[in-house]
Amino acid sequence: MTRVNTIRIPGLATGMDTDTVVKQMLVGEQNKIDKVKQKEQIVKWQQEIYRDVMKDLKNINDKYFSVTSKDSIVSSKAWNTLSVQSSNSSVMSATSRAGADNIHYNFEVNKIAEPAKVVSSKDNLDKLSNLADLGAKIGESFKISVGKDDKGNTLYSNPIKIESSDTIESLVDKINSNGNGKIKASYSKMTGSFSIESFDTGSNSNIEIISEDGSKSNSLAFLGLKTKKYKTNADGSFILNSKNEPGFDMVDFSGIASGSNSYIKVSGDDGFSKVINEQKNNFSIDGIDYSIYNKGTSKITSKKDTTKALDNMKGFVQDYNKIMDKMYSLITEKSKKDYQPLTEEQKKDMSEEEVKKWEANAKKGILRNDSEMRRFINDMQNAVFGDNVKVLSEMGVTSPQDYNKKGQISLNEDKFTKSLEYNSDKVYKLFAKDKSSIMGKMNDILNKNIGGSSSIFARKAGLERTSSVVKNFYSEQIKRQEDMIKNLQRKMDTKENALYKKFADLEASMNKLNSQMSYFMQA
């Protein structure tokens, strides 16, 4: 703190060490300041420790409770106990979810799901071909369907106007920039053709071109647009051609073009067979996620593999127990009364290593019996075990008998592996299926305590990158201590200046008396 500069006269006349005397007379005031500074330091340490704990909890939350994390323990894939293989990954691939049973199927992909698409039939198109020269009507505007809203109403692009300077290339750009990412126009130099296709695939997808008034538009008729029309029976099933594939004709575009479903034959070694017609090329059946890429054949098989699910659980238990151990130690360790925060004067007489060791002891026990941390540990313990003690024990998950390991999890790997092998769906439902599962409850507790500026720990110590970092219980305490220190310092400065003034007056009086004595002695 900046002090007021004053002219201080040493005890030349009185023979006193004025600075030392004044310092001794201010010991009481300095002690008051030091005590408040010690209290402030303790609060700062409490806040630092709290924020360190919050950082650890945030890391656990991001690592295990985010579905996008590779170590996620809340996604169904994290509890997958099947390893699925494809004999022809260029045709299709598959992955399993928790609870899926072993599979052994033969797939014959005769047709993949296709988007609605129109293609030009006009010869010798070039990307720089002028639309007017091709027969376009300059000034016409049109809109293209871009899908449906939640209520099933058709949505359209922004109006697209044909201008005299437009080319195939600029038409492509106009359609793509006004289609909201739901349609794609393109030009192929290889085939010399222009095309528009929908983002979605399947028979429910379509491309419709209309005028601004909603009527059918012939704005792009000059391109000779055509579309695929698959041959179907009365029930909508595909009519197969000589290659045993769905047959189709290229027909003139009449204003609306539709996409088409896939045609996939599936058979099993037990004689089972069926045909699958899917809207999309990514679909799920019986807990298996399939991805179709091309026509062809592939054999999809699986085998039990609990390695990844077990490793995920082991990693989570290890990291979770580590932070629980840290928090329980903080609320139970005893403080060392003989170790208070050091004053600046005390630090002057100690080495850097001595200060470090002293402060490590001074920090012990400063969060003993902290109510928020204790409540968090209890809540987490109840979320894990609660009414699940018996079933968890059967799965190899128990609470440690050591009372110093409160809130922690003990994992019997052999029992847990067997549970994954023989009843993985039950394990998944108990641990991670929804918000009522163990992980769902734990995630809710984490969000309640570190989920934002209004969370419990944030309100107490402040959460990084939120408004609570400056507005929280500890920061307010620190501010009060700082104000108190400033007030005590001002009082001490005032008293110090007053004392120096008194000693200055005494010096002046002694100088005057000495002068008089000298005069009388010379007389």
Side-chain angles (χ1 to χ4, degrees):
M1 177 172 292
T2 304
R3 304 283 187 87
V4 178
N5 291 323
T6 57
I7 299 175
R8 294 172 176 175
I9 303 173
L12 298 176
T14 60
M16 290 190 300
D17 184 350
T18 306
D19 288 338
T20 299
V21 173
V22 170
K23 186 175 181 179
Q24 291 173 346
M25 295 177 75
L26 294 172
V27 167
E29 283 71 17
Q30 185 62 55
N31 286 341
K32 290 179 181 178
I33 293 174
D34 288 342
K35 285 182 179 179
V36 178
K37 283 185 175 181
Q38 287 175 322
K39 290 180 180 179
E40 178 192 29
Q41 183 60 67
I42 289 175
V43 176
K44 286 182 176 179
W45 284 340
Q46 288 174 326
Q47 186 179 53
E48 289 172 5
I49 294 171
Y50 238 99
R51 288 184 175 179
D52 186 51
V53 168
M54 291 167 70
K55 182 180 179 181
D56 290 340
L57 291 174
K58 183 71 165 53
N59 288 338
I60 281 183
N61 189 61
D62 292 344
K63 184 176 182 179
Y64 295 106
F65 292 89
S66 170
V67 294
T68 58
S69 170
K70 67 179 181 64
D71 298 303
S72 174
I73 204 165
V74 294
S75 67
S76 63
K77 289 185 178 181
W79 300 90
N80 169 33
T81 57
L82 283 183
S83 174
V84 184
Q85 296 84 35
S86 169
S87 65
N88 192 344
S89 58
S90 65
V91 171
M92 65 183 297
S93 63
T95 57
S96 68
R97 299 183 186 181
D101 293 324
N102 267 317
I103 58 171
H104 194 289
Y105 296 133
N106 300 304
F107 287 82
E108 183 181 342
V109 181
N110 296 118
K111 178 188 174 306
I112 66 173
E114 297 175 62
K117 186 175 183 178
V118 293
V119 183
S120 65
S121 62
K122 200 173 188 70
D123 294 332
N124 302 318
L125 280 187
D126 184 84
K127 68 177 182 178
L128 299 180
S129 297
N130 183 271
L131 301 191
D133 294 340
L134 295 173
K137 293 182 179 180
I138 305 305
E140 279 198 352
S141 294
F142 62 93
K143 296 190 291 186
I144 305 176
S145 58
V146 292
K148 298 182 183 296
D149 62 17
D150 295 337
K151 296 181 179 179
N153 299 314
T154 301
L155 302 173
Y156 293 93
S157 68
N158 297 321
I160 301 165
K161 186 177 182 180
I162 298 177
E163 298 173 304
S164 59
S165 60
D166 277 334
T167 62
I168 292 293
E169 185 175 46
S170 66
L171 177 62
V172 167
D173 291 340
K174 282 185 176 182
I175 292 174
N176 289 336
S177 61
N178 286 284
N180 301 320
K182 298 298 184 179
I183 53 175
K184 179 186 177 183
S186 60
Y187 168 77
S188 170
K189 184 177 180 180
M190 178 66 73
T191 62
S193 62
F194 164 89
S195 64
I196 306 172
E197 64 181 69
S198 62
F199 177 78
D200 294 324
T201 60
S203 59
N204 291 337
S205 66
N206 63 72
I207 287 178
E208 181 182 10
I209 302 178
I210 63 172
S211 301
E212 286 197 74
D213 61 5
S215 62
K216 175 184 172 182
S217 173
N218 292 314
S219 298
L220 299 182
F222 68 93
L223 291 169
L225 296 179
K226 289 185 176 294
T227 185
K228 275 185 182 181
K229 185 175 181 179
Y230 280 90
K231 300 175 182 179
T232 57
N233 295 305
D235 61 359
S237 61
F238 290 113
I239 297 175
L240 304 183
N241 58 23
S242 59
K243 296 180 180 179
N244 211 27
E245 297 175 350
F248 66 88
D249 293 318
M250 292 299 294
V251 300
D252 291 337
F253 174 63
S254 60
I256 299 179
S258 298
S260 57
N261 297 342
S262 60
Y263 186 88
I264 305 170
K265 294 180 181 178
V266 188
S267 62
D269 294 340
D270 58 357
F272 153 82
S273 66
K274 70 177 295 186
V275 172
I276 297 176
N277 299 121
E278 293 288 340
Q279 291 277 342
K280 299 181 181 297
N281 291 310
N282 297 294
F283 54 91
S284 299
I285 299 177
D286 297 334
I288 305 294
D289 296 329
Y290 297 95
S291 296
I292 308 299
Y293 309 117
N294 292 294
K295 292 194 298 182
T297 60
S298 179
K299 183 177 290 187
I300 301 293
T301 57
S302 67
K303 63 179 181 179
K304 283 288 184 181
D305 184 0
T306 61
T307 304
K308 189 175 186 302
L310 178 62
D311 287 345
N312 280 349
M313 187 61 174
K314 285 166 59 179
F316 170 73
V317 168
Q318 182 178 359
D319 289 343
Y320 171 76
N321 285 347
K322 186 177 179 180
I323 183 61
M324 287 295 104
D325 182 63
K326 179 178 182 177
M327 293 178 73
Y328 190 68
S329 296
L330 287 171
I331 65 172
T332 56
E333 68 180 357
K334 295 180 179 180
S335 60
K336 295 193 174 184
K337 302 293 185 182
D338 295 335
Y339 290 87
Q340 294 298 314
L342 296 168
T343 65
E344 293 304 317
E345 286 296 320
Q346 290 173 325
K347 288 181 180 180
K348 290 178 181 179
D349 298 327
M350 301 171 70
S351 67
E352 185 177 338
E353 186 63 27
E354 288 173 331
V355 170
K356 186 176 180 180
K357 289 182 179 179
W358 182 283
E359 291 186 341
N361 284 308
K363 291 178 182 179
K364 290 186 180 298
I366 62 175
L367 285 175
R368 182 176 172 81
N369 291 323
D370 182 87
S371 59
E372 285 81 5
M373 280 198 187
R374 184 174 290 279
R375 187 182 303 113
F376 177 85
I377 293 172
N378 290 335
D379 287 348
M380 283 300 225
Q381 186 175 37
N382 289 332
V384 176
F385 298 101
D387 300 327
N388 303 316
V389 175
K390 184 178 179 180
V391 65
L392 283 173
S393 179
E394 293 171 353
M395 293 179 180
V397 180
T398 57
S399 179
Q401 294 183 354
D402 187 345
Y403 71 91
N404 287 319
K405 296 184 180 295
K406 186 175 177 62
Q408 295 187 38
I409 298 171
S410 179
L411 181 66
N412 183 310
E413 293 183 23
D414 291 337
K415 288 177 107 176
F416 193 72
T417 299
K418 288 181 180 179
S419 294
L420 289 171
E421 288 176 347
Y422 299 108
N423 212 340
S424 62
D425 190 45
K426 183 179 180 180
V427 176
Y428 168 63
K429 287 179 179 177
L430 178 64
F431 276 94
K433 186 174 182 180
D434 51 38
K435 290 185 177 181
S436 65
S437 67
I438 290 173
M439 296 302 169
K441 291 176 181 177
M442 294 176 81
N443 192 25
D444 184 60
I445 293 169
L446 282 168
N447 288 330
K448 182 179 177 182
N449 284 273
I450 61 165
S453 59
S454 61
S455 60
I456 295 172
F457 286 3
R459 291 199 305 268
K460 185 156 189 176
L463 184 65
E464 293 295 335
R465 293 189 292 277
T466 72
S467 59
S468 67
V469 77
V470 293
K471 188 178 181 181
N472 57 77
F473 172 76
Y474 283 136
S475 291
E476 290 171 359
Q477 289 281 89
I478 293 169
K479 179 65 168 58
R480 282 196 287 271
Q481 302 290 350
E482 289 175 344
D483 291 341
M484 192 178 296
I485 291 169
K486 289 178 182 179
N487 186 45
L488 290 172
Q489 188 68 59
R490 279 194 295 269
K491 289 181 179 180
M492 190 176 82
D493 289 346
T494 300
K495 184 174 180 179
E496 182 182 42
N497 289 331
L499 288 172
Y500 271 110
K501 186 176 184 306
K502 287 181 180 180
F503 281 110
D505 290 343
L506 178 59
E507 285 289 322
S509 297
M510 288 300 294
N511 279 330
K512 184 176 181 181
L513 180 59
N514 287 337
S515 295
Q516 290 174 347
M517 290 292 292
S518 177
Y519 174 77
F520 287 124
M521 290 178 66
Q522 293 175 4

